[in-house]
Amino acid sequence: MEPENPDKAAELAYPVNPVRVRGDLDPALSRWMWLVKWLLAIPHYIVLFFLHIAYFVLTVIAFFAILFTGKYPRALFDFNVGVMRWTWRVEFYALAVLGTDKYPPFSLKPNAEYPADLEVDYPERLHRGLVLVKWWLLAIPHYLILAAMSSGGMTLVMYSDDDWSGVGQIPLISILVFIALIGLLFTARYPRGLYDFVVGISRWAIRVQAYATLMRDEYPPFRLDQGAREPEIR
């Protein structure tokens, strides 16, 4: 029997993820510009330092608002999503992905023209009890997995006086990005497989951030959704 409304049936079969992360790879990346983008982004780092202080303070205020009313104040929600969006654009440009040469805008608002963006759907109601545990207890499995992805890289060692000693560990994601950029330097191409994997790690981390900072009640999936666009989910 055919559904009365195929579009509605498709929507039910493939619901939209409430946290959506986009990162479109620039097809004409410069071979060398990645060497200086971290420096060019310094003005963003300064602004984001203060924005993240505000993000933390507003999250604490939202904690009590949700605890007593079951609602995340809309103005606070939109501001914090804007901070996440701004951070993701800077990470995409200069830090975690380096997938575009287009300078990030100084803006909290969505921008369909910029290669990186994110959206978090506003929840009309949130569970008052979950606010007490989801940001630490319930999110611990995700913290452990993301920590493994971040720290499961390569340990640097130094030899001194007949003794080998560790001097630091390079995160896995940093190693992957570095390999990709070396490929870009010599071939003018960002290896697509590495790109999709790196964006997938970032997408996972952003979903967990939205959950842990009380924006949504839906538990983040244990899934590495790779690629530039948010995949549809069953």
Side-chain angles (χ1 to χ4, degrees):
M1 180 178 178
E2 294 293 330
E4 295 182 2
N5 189 336
D7 293 336
K8 184 64 175 179
E11 182 180 344
L12 293 174
Y14 297 95
V16 175
N17 198 307
V19 183
R20 297 179 296 281
V21 181
R22 175 174 61 81
D24 295 325
L25 179 62
D26 189 337
L29 284 173
S30 167
R31 290 174 182 257
W32 60 268
M33 194 172 176
W34 58 271
L35 294 168
V36 297
K37 285 195 284 190
W38 64 272
L39 185 63
L40 299 177
I42 286 177
H44 283 282
Y45 306 154
I46 296 171
V47 177
L48 285 172
F49 173 78
F50 294 101
L51 287 178
H52 278 91
I53 293 175
Y55 183 98
F56 174 78
V57 172
L58 295 183
T59 299
V60 173
I61 296 172
F63 171 90
F64 289 103
I66 297 166
L67 183 63
F68 291 108
T69 70
K71 294 183 69 70
Y72 197 125
R74 185 60 187 260
L76 275 59
F77 182 90
D78 290 343
F79 178 87
N80 279 356
V81 171
V83 175
M84 291 176 62
R85 181 180 293 121
W86 192 328
T87 303
W88 167 233
R89 288 173 182 159
V90 174
E91 289 179 350
F92 187 80
Y93 170 77
L95 298 173
V97 183
L98 293 98
T100 184
D101 292 336
K102 188 175 181 180
Y103 199 71
F106 287 85
S107 173
L108 300 170
K109 297 183 180 300
N111 185 344
E113 301 300 319
Y114 193 75
D117 209 349
L118 69 83
E119 295 287 346
V120 182
D121 292 337
Y122 178 73
E124 294 299 329
R125 299 288 300 179
L126 289 167
H127 193 287
R128 294 167 60 185
L130 280 178
V131 76
L132 297 170
V133 294
K134 64 181 180 180
W135 57 274
W136 65 281
L137 180 62
L138 298 182
I140 284 177
H142 284 284
Y143 294 155
L144 294 176
I145 294 172
L146 289 172
M149 289 182 180
S150 299
S151 63
M154 178 176 63
T155 301
L156 296 179
V157 296
M158 179 175 61
Y159 182 76
S160 175
D161 297 329
D162 299 322
D163 180 50
W164 290 93
S165 58
V167 297
Q169 191 168 50
I170 303 176
L172 173 62
I173 191 170
S174 298
I175 295 173
L176 295 177
V177 171
F178 181 73
I179 293 172
L181 295 178
I182 293 299
L184 177 64
L185 182 63
F186 288 101
T187 68
R189 293 180 63 252
Y190 196 126
R192 190 70 197 209
L194 286 176
Y195 174 81
D196 290 344
F197 187 78
V198 169
V199 172
I201 294 176
S202 297
R203 179 175 287 117
W204 191 329
I206 290 170
R207 289 173 178 171
V208 173
Q209 179 185 351
Y211 177 78
T213 55
L214 317 178
M215 294 180 174
R216 301 291 309 187
D217 280 343
E218 296 87 354
Y219 198 69
F222 288 93
R223 188 175 64 240
L224 188 65
D225 287 331
Q226 303 182 52
R229 298 292 178 123
E230 189 76 28
E232 294 178 323
I233 57 175
R234 290 186 181 273

